[in-house]
Every structure is written in C-alpha cells, then in structure tokens.
Amino acid sequence: MIHHVSVGTNDVARAQAFYAPLMQLIGFRLIKASPSAVHYGASDIVFSLETPVDGRPASPGNGVHIAFQAPDRDAVRRFHQLALEKGGTDEGAPGVRANYNANYFGAFVRDLDGNKIEAVTYTARESFDLLAVSRDEPKKNADL
C-alpha cells in the first residue's frame, strides 16, 4: 500500500493555486499548509507539494519520495535493512519522526536509481508476527 506521495515545487503558493481546484475535484481538501509545503487528502494527507529539504531547486525527482504503509515498527526496520542489503543507500534510519507526528515511525532509503522511498507506520506495536511461522515448517493441524 502507498501511504502518501510528495512532489517538489519551487513556489508553494503557485503550486497551491494550481492544485487547489484539481484536488477539490477529486475529493481532497487542504489538510495543512506552510511557506514550505501544502498537503492534501480526504482525512489523512495523501498528496503533498513541498520545497526540497536539501535546499536545492525542485526538479523531477528532487523532493519526490514514495512512502509505503507498513503494518508495524518491525516491518519498517526490516524494510530499511533489506533495502540496504540489496544495495540501497541510507537516507534515515528507522525511528520516530516527532516533527511529523508523535506516532510517526519511518525509515528512508534511496533505491539503486536514486529514488527516495520510505516505510512508515503510526502504530506503536512492534510486530504483528506476520512471518512468525517459517514457510519451511509444516503448519500445525495441516490435515484439518
């Protein structure tokens, strides 16, 4: 699942003027705005326009990241670790990002092409044990 999408802009006011009627048309409303960003969604933020956090001008790709919703904090950690094992570059270790929300737990990496991706959860739960049973072990009561 995708949690939210952010795209870069060099002029937030201009971007907001352009996107406001488009967002209204598809049922999104303005959730939050600041001099550096404008955020749209229905109940949660799902689409944002932001000035790049690295201070360089926005361009296709600069300021863009794709966030994938994770079921729990352990999944965020595993996402980050696996991405690094596969050759990704660390852009932010797993942890709480209180500047976003007191319950925002995320991790950031760049893929092999330099695209910034993230795994995020708002749950404080460490694990749902979705993979607790090894696929190699026989399942209990398999004959039932």
Side-chain angles (χ1 to χ4, degrees):
M1 294 184 125
I2 295 175
H3 185 271
H4 64 271
V5 175
S6 301
V7 296
T9 182
N10 291 306
D11 186 331
V12 173
R14 183 185 67 191
Q16 185 174 1
F18 176 79
Y19 276 98
L22 299 174
M23 297 294 100
Q24 183 178 12
L25 180 68
I26 62 169
F28 285 0
R29 64 180 177 84
L30 179 65
I31 302 287
K32 183 179 176 183
S34 72
S36 62
V38 60
H39 310 281
Y40 295 96
S43 60
D44 293 323
I45 296 169
V46 295
F47 181 76
S48 300
L49 301 128
E50 305 178 13
T51 55
V53 296
D54 65 5
R56 296 187 308 204
S59 61
N62 185 31
V64 174
H65 82 274
I66 307 299
F68 299 95
Q69 188 169 345
D72 54 49
R73 291 180 177 196
D74 186 52
V76 171
R77 289 184 192 98
R78 290 192 323 259
F79 178 98
H80 185 259
Q81 180 182 356
L82 183 59
L84 297 179
E85 288 173 3
K86 296 293 185 179
T89 305
D90 181 27
E91 285 287 325
V96 172
R97 302 301 197 274
N99 56 320
Y100 299 150
N101 179 290
N103 299 309
Y104 194 108
F105 189 90
F108 301 83
V109 295
R110 290 205 183 262
D111 69 15
L112 301 178
D113 293 306
N115 296 302
K116 192 171 187 179
I117 58 175
E118 170 190 3
V120 61
T121 187
Y122 283 91
T123 183
R125 187 175 183 130
E126 286 299 320
S127 177
F128 282 103
D129 296 324
L130 297 175
L131 299 175
V133 177
S134 169
R135 291 187 177 108
D136 296 331
E137 293 178 18
K139 293 182 181 177
K140 291 181 183 178
N141 301 321
D143 296 328
L144 298 179

